[in-house]
Structures are given as C-alpha cells and as structure tokens.
Amino acid sequence: MSASTAQVSPSGAPPAATATSSKRSTEPLPDAAAILREASDTVAQADSVHLSLLVIGNVENMAATAVDADVTRSPAPAARGYAKIAYRGAPAYVRFVVSGGHFFVFEEGGRWIDYGPAGDLYDAAGILSPGTALAGMLTDFVDPEVESRELVDGVHTVRITGQISADTATRIVPQLRPGKRTSCTVWIQETGDHQLVALKLDAGDDAVQMDFSNWNAPVSIAPPRS
C-alpha cells in the first residue's frame, strides 16, 4: 500500500465554534426533542453528504483514525475519499472507495485492492442507511438539552447534549463498543432544514468527531476496477 500525498483534514473536536448567532441571546432556546426530530427527518431524506471524521485519542480496533469522504446512498450505499489508517506500524493516507460493502484501496500501479468488509476499517457508506445510522441516532437521545447557540463553520447552530444507547452508538461507529449509554453532542442548524452539522461521540477519555457538509450535493461513485 502506498501513502497518498493528499491530506485528510477533518476538523477537530469540538468543531470550530463561537457563541455568536443570528438569534438574540435573550431569546429562548428551541426545544431539544423537537429540533432533533426535525433534523432526523432531514437526514432520513438525504441522498448524500460530505463527511469528515477524526478519532480523538485511541479508540480500540478503529483502524481508520481520520476520514474525509463523499457519501451517497443512491443508487446504492457508497463512499469515496481519503483515510488515515495504520499500515506496517505507521500511519498512511490512502485513497479509498466503499462499494458493495467492501473497502477498496488505490495502490501503486493504478490498482484497486479489495481489503474486505468495510466495517473492518470504517464503513462510511453506512451513515445514511434508512431508518438507522444518523437519522435513528437523532431520535434516540435520552434527556437531550439545548446548551447554547454556536456559529460552526459559518452555520448558526444549536448545541444539544445527551446520551444515546450503546446499540445506536455502534451503528455510527461500530468500533466504540460501549457497554452502556454513550454521551453524545450534536450541532444542528437552528433554522431552515435543521441540517446536522457535527456530532461528537464520547468513549471514556477518547471520542469520535464527525463533521457534515454539502448535504444532497450531486455525488456519483462508480465501483472500482481491479
């Protein structure tokens, strides 16, 4: 496997944010459950998104520690981009495609090599799966609370904290393997379609940060040729 010169550059955790907002600070914060439901509906109807993922600390068995990729679920779940993975004891940046549930890596000589089930590294293509993944996570919050308004990468958001079930957390990041509820923070666009802008899943002292952009932008991913 060859290391790519492309940079995987997902934003850190928490995402770059300021307390400024289009809303006056004196206005009441929105209802957490309501805005989570609206965000879930938006995600459930989405066909594509750009994902930037970063592992903070050390999540056991998480082979991909950074991902920057376009994701689509139409006509079938697929993803393409760059990932930082461990290879021969050192981190390497690789160009990858997830197609048909498998993780393909582009290697020297112009070959795509099938590295087996995408879940063994990270199955980015699964985050838009209908009825599960991100949409399901947003309606699984226990005791959600809107903590503040924040401007995240130019988007006016509300930050919501709470907990989600271990089962829901593993649908987003299977390698977390929590034995109980997991602390989760999401940043959701306050107005408009209430798009999901970012989320952070805690795993003890470690965490996985995911940033989202370009919802429903045209994405076409062809299966790689060996």
Side-chain angles (χ1 to χ4, degrees):
M1 183 188 305
S2 60
S4 169
T5 57
Q7 294 298 308
V8 177
S9 56
S11 62
T18 68
T20 60
S21 172
S22 60
K23 298 285 187 178
R24 295 193 304 270
S25 60
T26 56
E27 291 189 20
L29 292 167
D31 178 71
I35 202 166
L36 284 167
R37 285 194 302 269
E38 292 163 351
S40 176
D41 289 342
T42 294
V43 171
Q45 297 171 29
D47 287 327
S48 66
V49 70
H50 185 82
L51 164 70
S52 293
L53 177 149
L54 181 66
V55 174
I56 303 163
N58 180 32
V59 175
E60 188 176 359
N61 299 317
M62 188 80 173
T65 56
V67 174
D68 194 68
D70 292 319
V71 180
T72 184
R73 67 182 182 98
S74 179
R80 71 176 177 205
Y82 293 88
K84 181 180 179 181
I85 65 174
Y87 178 69
R88 295 180 180 175
Y93 292 96
V94 299
R95 178 181 167 194
F96 78 93
V97 166
V98 173
S99 179
H102 279 232
F103 195 99
F104 296 85
V105 171
F106 189 76
E107 297 199 341
E108 291 179 353
R111 298 183 306 161
W112 285 98
I113 305 300
D114 185 351
Y115 275 73
D120 291 347
L121 287 98
Y122 181 70
D123 187 5
I127 62 173
L128 295 180
S129 298
T132 60
L134 291 176
M137 179 209 70
L138 290 167
T139 56
D140 187 55
F141 268 71
V142 177
D143 298 327
E145 178 182 355
V146 178
E147 290 193 337
S148 63
R149 292 184 171 99
E150 294 181 355
L151 186 64
V152 180
D153 294 334
V155 180
H156 294 285
T157 73
V158 288
R159 184 180 71 195
I160 301 175
T161 59
Q163 292 187 324
I164 59 175
S165 68
D167 180 60
T168 297
T170 56
R171 290 176 184 172
I172 306 299
V173 183
Q175 292 82 358
L176 282 179
R177 299 179 182 176
K180 54 183 179 180
R181 289 177 181 171
T182 301
S183 295
C184 183
T185 303
V186 293
W187 288 260
I188 295 174
Q189 179 188 30
E190 185 171 6
T191 58
D193 294 334
H194 302 294
Q195 293 177 344
L196 178 63
V197 176
L199 72 83
K200 179 170 173 267
L201 284 172
D202 292 326
D205 294 331
D206 307 311
V208 175
Q209 169 78 31
M210 303 172 75
D211 298 338
F212 306 95
S213 60
N214 297 337
W215 286 98
N216 287 316
V219 175
S220 179
I221 301 175
R225 296 180 179 179
S226 57

